[in-house]
Amino acid sequence: MNKFIVLLKKEFVQMLRDLKVIWLPIVFIFLGITQPIVTYYLPSILGALGGGQGITIDPSMTAQKGGEVLAATLGSQFDQLGFMILVISMMGIIQTDKANGMLAFILTRPVTVISYIAGKIVSNYLIAAFSVTIGYFVSYLYVNYLFTDVSFSHMITALLFYLVWVLFIVSFTTMISTIFNSQGIIALISIVFLIGCRIIVGLSPVIDFVNSASMSKHAMEVLISGSVNSKAIDNALVTLFWIVLILFVINYWIANKKVNHE
Amino acid sequence: MKLEIKNVTKTFREKIAVNNFSMKLKPGECVGLIGPNGAGKSTLIKVIADIIDPQAGEVLLNGKKISKMKREIGYLPQYPNFFHWMTAKETLTFMGQLSGLQKKELTISIPEILTKVGLKGEENSKVGTFSGGMKQRLGIAQALLHKPSLIIMDEPVSALDPIGRREVLNLIEEIKKDTTILLSTHILGDAEEICERFVIIKNGTKIEDTTITELLNRNSKNKIYVEITAKDQEWIDVVKKLPFVEEIEVIGHKVKIIVENIDKNKNVILENALEHEVDIVKFEIHNDTLEEIFLKLVVGNE
C-alpha cells in the first residue's frame, strides 16, 4: 500500500511537470463548449456566410432540448475527438517505462506488480475523469444557458455512467501499452478497437450487453429521455468484469517478465 | 549475505544466453564476472537481479529465493536510466521509498550518499541534464542507498572516461568493505583492481572460477621470449627439435618457447642461439599478463 502511494505520487508529479493536469482539462473544456455553442449559433453562422439564399434551416435544430445537446456533447465530442486525445495522451503509459528500462528497474525494488499497475491506472484515470468531468460541467452550464435546463440528477447519473466507459478506455489503453512496444501501434490498436466498440453500439442487444461502449449510450439515454435504462447497471457490471480481466492480463504480462523481450 | 546461483539456464528463442551456470558467493566477497561482449554476462546479471526469469535453475540469497529478498539487493544497470524530469534528490527519494525507507531516514542519508558519490551540489539539478558519468554515479548512489547486503553492478565503469572510471573504481573499493559485490565487465584491468575472485564466462558457460594469484601461477608456465631478426628464421626449426622444448609460438620476429624447466633450459637455448650465430634482439623470461591469459581462455578454446 505504501509503495502504491509512492508510485501514485510520482505519477502525479510527472503529470504536473508535463503540464498534463492543465492541458487535458482545457482540451475537454473546449470540446464541452463546442457542442452547445455550435448547435446554437450554426443557423446564424450559415445564414451570415451562406448568403441565406436557397438554404432552409430546420427550425427543430435550434429548438433542441438541453438534454439532447448535452448528450451530443458526450456522443459527438467526447466519444470522438475526446477519447482519441485521451488515448494518445496515455499511449506511453507503460510503454515508455518499458522502453527506457524504468519498469525493470522499479521492479528490482521490493515493489509488487499490482501496486505499479494500480499507481498507473488510478493516476491516469483520475486525470482523465477530472478532465471529462470539467468539460462536461462547462458544457452543462452552456446548455442550461442556451437551451432548456437539464435536471442536475440526470446530469450526474449520466456522468457516472460515462465515467465507467472512461475507466474502460484507460484500462484498455494501459493493457495495449503493456503488450506492444511501438507508440504508433498502441495508439492505432486502441483507437480502432475502442471506436469499433462505440460504432457497433445499438446493432444487437446481445453485443450491447457485453460492449462497454454501451455505457456511453446509456449516459446519453438518461439525458435525452430522463429515464435510466434497466440494462445500464448490468452493463456497468460487465464492464467492471472486463476491467478486472484487463488488469489480470497486465499483471500476468509484467509478472511473467514478458516485457523483457530483448 | 550468501548468494547461490544454481544451474541457471536462459535461452532467447534458439540462442542460449546462459547455459547451466552455477556459482556461490560468500558474504563480503567481491567477484568479477568477466567475458567478451555477448558472453551472457548481462543476461546472467539480470537473472540474478530478478529482472528476467531463467528457464531452469534458481538464484538464492541466504537460502531464500531472490524475488523474496529484493530489499537486500542493490542493482546498477548497464545504462542507468532515470526519469529525466526528476532531480537527483527526488530520484533517490523515489527509489529509497520504493525500497521501504522512511522519509525521515532519507533526509539524512541522501545528502550523505550524494557526497560519497561526488554529486554534492547537484541535489536539485534535473537528471536530464546529467552527463553519463554523473548518471552512473547517481546509479551507484541509488544502489547503495538502502544499504543492501548484495550489490550487483552491470558494467559499472565500461562507459566512463578514464577520470570517471578512476572515481567509480575508488568508490567501489570503498563500499567493498561492507557488502558482497558482484560486478560484470569486459575490461580485465578493472576487475583485477577491485576483485579478488574472477568468474570467466563465455558463450553462457562458466569456463573459469579462480583468484588472480592462482590464475597467474597456473599460467606462469616456463616461457622464454626471444626476438630475432628476419635472417634467422631457420633457427626456429632447430629449436623445435630440442628435446626439452614443448611448444613454440611465432609472432612475427618474436618467438615464444615453452620449455620443461626454465632454470635448466634457458641457458641451453641461449647457447644454442649463439652457436647458430643468431642475431638476438631480445631474450627474456616471460610471464603471461592477465590480459593474455584472458584472451587465451576466451578466444583459445574455440
Side-chain angles (χ1 to χ4, degrees):
Chain A
M1 199 60 201
N2 199 6
K3 309 283 166 60
F4 162 70
I5 301 290
V6 174
L7 288 162
L8 192 65
K9 210 176 119 201
K10 176 240 140 200
E11 291 297 324
F12 280 129
V13 175
Q14 185 165 14
M15 283 175 187
L16 208 64
R17 303 255 166 108
D18 290 347
L19 299 181
K20 194 176 175 181
V21 279
I22 296 175
W23 67 258
L24 200 58
I26 289 180
V27 165
F28 275 90
I29 288 173
F30 273 114
L31 290 175
I33 295 174
T34 308
Q35 193 66 27
I37 297 268
V38 167
T39 313
Y40 188 78
Y41 288 108
L42 194 61
S44 21
I45 295 170
L46 280 180
L49 294 179
Q53 284 178 336
I55 296 178
T56 323
I57 292 156
D58 183 359
S60 67
M61 184 140 171
T62 39
Q64 280 191 62
K65 286 215 189 74
E68 286 167 8
V69 180
L70 195 54
T73 297
L74 295 182
S76 311
Q77 303 295 336
F78 290 6
D79 268 350
Q80 289 174 16
L81 201 54
F83 100 79
M84 273 190 222
I85 291 168
L86 209 56
V87 168
I88 288 170
S89 79
M90 289 188 314
M91 62 190 176
I93 175 171
I94 297 206
Q95 184 267 348
T96 326
D97 277 3
K98 276 194 300 181
N100 64 20
M102 278 317 281
L103 173 55
F105 201 19
I106 287 174
L107 292 181
T108 59
R109 299 303 169 127
V111 175
T112 57
V113 178
I114 296 289
S115 48
Y116 174 77
I117 302 169
K120 285 282 181 192
I121 290 191
V122 169
S123 57
N124 278 277
Y125 179 61
L126 285 180
I127 180 76
F130 173 69
S131 307
V132 166
T133 307
I134 290 268
Y136 181 75
F137 269 126
V138 172
S139 190
Y140 174 71
L141 294 179
Y142 270 85
V143 164
N144 279 357
Y145 180 65
L146 299 173
F147 300 89
T148 56
D149 281 4
V150 180
S151 92
F152 188 75
S153 64
H154 288 163
M155 186 273 284
I156 291 291
T157 317
L159 176 65
L160 290 179
F161 283 176
Y162 195 77
L163 289 181
V164 176
W165 164 231
V166 172
L167 181 57
F168 181 80
I169 294 174
V170 172
S171 321
F172 185 79
T173 311
T174 308
M175 177 175 80
I176 299 299
S177 187
T178 312
I179 296 172
F180 294 93
N181 295 313
S182 139
Q183 293 209 340
I185 297 285
I186 293 165
L188 188 75
I189 292 179
S190 306
I191 290 175
V192 167
F193 178 82
L194 292 167
I195 283 200
C197 283
R198 187 65 189 85
I199 286 173
I200 59 169
V201 166
L203 279 188
S204 112
V206 183
I207 298 177
D208 277 2
F209 178 67
V210 294
N211 188 350
S212 301
S214 305
M215 286 314 293
S216 174
K217 189 191 78 177
H218 292 313
M220 289 169 71
E221 266 179 27
V222 172
L223 291 171
I224 295 170
S225 69
S227 63
V228 177
N229 191 323
S230 59
K231 285 177 193 152
I233 301 300
D234 297 349
N235 199 239
L237 291 176
V238 172
T239 303
L240 289 179
F241 167 76
W242 286 131
I243 291 167
V244 170
L245 194 70
I246 284 172
L247 293 181
F248 182 77
V249 170
I250 301 173
N251 184 45
Y252 175 81
W253 202 272
I254 298 179
N256 282 281
K257 322 220 161 122
K258 288 213 160 85
V259 288
N260 293 288
H261 49 89
E262 1 87 88
Chain B
M1 281 194 184
K2 190 174 67 182
L3 177 74
E4 285 172 276
I5 300 161
K6 287 184 180 165
N7 310 321
V8 165
T9 298
K10 173 75 193 171
T11 55
F12 294 111
R13 300 215 171 85
E14 286 85 50
K15 196 182 170 296
I16 299 174
V18 178
N19 187 10
N20 203 11
F21 189 98
S22 299
M23 169 167 93
K24 267 185 194 165
L25 260 73
K26 289 195 276 296
E29 214 173 7
C30 174
V31 176
L33 193 62
I34 302 163
N37 288 327
K41 297 186 301 281
S42 282
T43 307
L44 182 61
I45 291 264
K46 282 183 183 165
V47 169
I48 298 170
D50 196 39
I51 289 175
I52 46 181
D53 278 336
Q55 259 89 12
E58 53 181 354
V59 181
L60 302 175
L61 190 61
N62 259 9
K64 288 187 202 112
K65 275 215 174 242
I66 202 92
S67 49
K68 304 260 181 308
M69 298 293 279
K70 287 187 177 171
R71 173 72 187 76
E72 298 300 330
I73 302 172
Y75 169 63
L76 174 69
Q78 186 164 6
Y79 307 105
N81 217 330
F82 303 101
F83 295 111
H84 58 89
W85 51 268
M86 279 190 182
T87 65
K89 202 170 156 190
E90 281 168 340
T91 305
L92 291 179
T93 313
F94 176 62
M95 295 312 273
Q97 284 180 330
L98 286 186
S99 287
L101 297 180
Q102 295 303 315
K103 219 162 184 174
K104 245 191 249 158
E105 307 168 47
L106 286 169
T107 49
I108 307 164
S109 56
I110 287 177
E112 266 177 27
I113 202 97
L114 281 173
T115 315
K116 201 170 180 183
V117 298
L119 284 177
K120 204 183 170 199
E122 301 288 346
E123 291 91 342
N124 297 316
S125 318
K126 292 258 159 64
V127 178
T129 65
F130 277 23
S131 68
M134 287 162 87
K135 274 190 194 157
Q136 199 80 23
R137 278 185 257 172
L138 187 61
I140 292 177
Q142 63 79 25
L144 296 179
L145 187 62
H146 54 294
K147 301 198 170 60
S149 41
L150 170 70
I151 295 178
I152 309 163
M153 292 187 270
D154 195 358
E155 307 266 4
V157 292
S158 305
L160 299 179
D161 64 12
I163 303 163
R165 243 191 73 216
R166 187 72 270 138
E167 286 173 353
V168 169
L169 286 177
N170 289 343
L171 202 63
I172 298 173
E173 191 77 42
E174 199 179 306
I175 57 179
K176 206 172 102 177
K177 295 164 205 149
D178 320 313
T179 39
T180 314
I181 297 180
L182 176 69
L183 59 90
S184 80
T185 178
H186 58 255
I187 302 165
L188 204 74
D190 298 338
E192 185 184 347
E193 206 170 305
I194 37 184
C195 297
E196 304 84 44
R197 190 176 148 202
F198 296 116
V199 172
I200 298 178
I201 178 171
K202 187 194 165 192
N203 295 336
T205 317
K206 184 163 84 171
I207 53 173
E208 197 68 65
D209 182 351
T210 178
T211 60
I212 298 184
T213 33
E214 212 186 289
L215 200 62
L216 283 174
N217 283 339
R218 180 145 38 103
N219 283 280
S220 69
K221 275 205 185 142
N222 301 328
K223 248 185 226 171
I224 297 166
Y225 205 67
V226 191
E227 202 175 321
I228 53 174
T229 52
K231 69 176 178 61
D232 297 313
Q233 294 291 329
E234 308 95 60
W235 176 66
I236 295 166
D237 298 322
V238 180
V239 179
K240 261 184 202 160
K241 288 186 190 109
L242 292 172
F244 50 81
V245 172
E246 286 176 346
E247 206 186 313
I248 278 192
E249 206 180 305
V250 186
I251 312 158
H253 293 162
K254 292 167 194 151
V255 189
K256 233 187 252 177
I257 307 167
I258 300 172
V259 294
E260 276 169 13
N261 186 326
I262 196 129
D263 297 325
K264 285 184 194 161
N265 303 141
K266 63 180 185 208
N267 288 356
V268 183
I269 289 188
L270 189 57
E271 272 168 28
N272 187 288
L274 293 173
E275 232 169 73
H276 288 83
E277 298 186 332
V278 175
D279 188 0
I280 301 173
V281 179
K282 202 194 250 175
F283 189 93
E284 67 175 359
I285 294 171
H286 180 79
N287 278 330
D288 272 352
T289 61
L290 274 174
E291 201 80 29
E292 283 169 301
I293 299 169
F294 174 63
L295 278 175
K296 213 193 295 171
L297 279 169
V298 170
V299 186
N301 24 345
E302 203 57 71

